[in-house]
Amino acid sequence: MFVFKFGGASVKSAEAVRNIVNILQRFEKSEIVVVVSAMGKSTNALERIIDHYAGNNREGWDAEFQSLKAYHYEIINSLFEEEDHPVYEGVAALFEELSRRLEKSPTLNYDFDYDQVICFGELLSSTIIGHYLNRAALATRWIDVRRSLKTDSQWREARVDWELSSSLVQEQFSFNGEKILITQGFLGSTINDQSTSLGREGSDYTAAILAFMLKAESVTIWKDVPGVLNADPKYFDDTVLLEKLSYLDAIELAYYGTSVIHPKTIKPLQNKNINLHVRSFMDPDAPGTLVGNLSYEKLTPSFIFKMDQVLIRVSPLDFSFINENNLEEIFGFLGKHGMKINLMQNSAISFKMIVNNDKRRLRLVVDDLEKKFKVAYQTGLELVTIRYFDQSTIERVMINKELIMEQRGVQNIELLLRDRG
Ligand code: ASP
Ligand code: MG
């Protein structure tokens, strides 16, 4: 049994959905669990709906709602010629349920409301694609993942209850003659059946969770790129495809920000020794990247760029040294406002951290810090991580840049840079 995951880009249009059929037909003999994301940028559209809804802006959410609806109907109208196809009933029911939800007043808990609304993206895409696969003579059963993937109630970043979910998943994801089971990525639910989500971009993680619980042979993430590249083509025009990656290398690259694989995906697969393939849905014959229990001699340097970074420098007001108590306080403020640190460094009298330029969070964190510390910050920086670095790779990223901070490990180096201007 295989797990296939199709992300937003691979289900963004009627043409993309037709292409899924082409891919699945190549595996006609196998049993496959298909995990799908919301179509195209639907999750972002739902986030806008939620913002308007939370702000009681009815006109705002209604306009977004109508355009989300039009987008999905355009896809089904192109995929299904018969006007009485049951897909229409399924999709209409979901839009009705969503609109009923939006008619209720928002609760005081934004994150809770978010999860009750965001789930419609994946529910819609899996419903549409499930019907289309059946129509294409690929016998498919639709499964609501929320009935088996149980989580806590940490809305928007829910944590999976592995034990409970395992037995439910094994019960529900059983093949009874059909070759394909289709379900939603990114979603779960609490023990009381309230919807939860696993964090943005979480569908890869769902694929890994299901593969782990069902002991799949392998997972394939079908993407709009040829596989995992050693750098984002936005920044380099001579990128190389990494044909093989060890679990550790994949975890490190995902952790530092390679956007191709969600960082939480690898660990469950590694624990059960399940291979992960990252392959192009446009070129399904190409091998892509294989992640597994692999070793290799040639260690290709990989580059990860994070733009628009902010360096925050914190020092005690009374000229004392940075100590454990200060750090506890500093981390407390970051935790409170949900700000993540990309890199940190401390010296006797100051503590430095690099964060994304999330203006709202930054303001909140700095306001809190300033009550206790002297705070200075610098924006417009760029953080480059190089895995398997050497002098020439460092020189390559340093052209016309000024080095603000550096952290060197055995395998990785991180360079905080600023344009020389
Ligand atoms: N649809 C969700 C998102 O856009 C989950 C995913 O695509 O992985 O974040
Ligand atoms: Mg993704």
Side-chain angles (χ1 to χ4, degrees), residues 75-123:
I75 294 176
I76 50 178
N77 288 338
S78 162
L79 290 174
F80 302 88
E81 279 132 35
E82 2 16 335
E83 273 163 32
D84 55 349
H85 192 282
V87 71
Y88 284 98
E89 212 176 294
V91 168
L94 286 168
F95 276 111
E96 250 158 59
E97 196 185 330
L98 173 56
S99 104
R100 270 201 307 277
R101 173 90 222 166
L102 296 169
E103 291 298 342
K104 289 199 214 171
S105 302
T107 70
L108 293 176
N109 188 340
Y110 177 93
D111 292 343
F112 167 79
D113 288 344
Y114 178 102
D115 278 354
Q116 309 320 304
V117 172
I118 208 76
C119 56
F120 282 91
E122 272 72 14
L123 292 172

Side-chain angles (χ1 to χ4, degrees), residues 5 7-8 37-38 40 43-44 122 185-186 199-204:
K5 182 254 172 175
S37 294
T43 303
N44 293 349
E122 272 72 14
F186 177 53
R200 282 304 306 263
E201 303 293 326
S203 292
D204 293 353

Side-chain angles (χ1 to χ4, degrees), residues 2 13 15 17-18 60 92 129 131 133 184 186 203 206 249 273 290 317 328 338 341 360 419:
F2 302 114
S13 61
E15 192 194 342
V17 175
R18 287 190 194 102
I129 298 163
H131 278 295
L133 298 182
Q184 309 78 35
F186 177 53
S203 292
T206 305
D249 276 342
N273 212 350
L290 168 63
L317 287 169
E328 188 179 347
I341 303 180
R360 190 185 66 87
D419 280 336

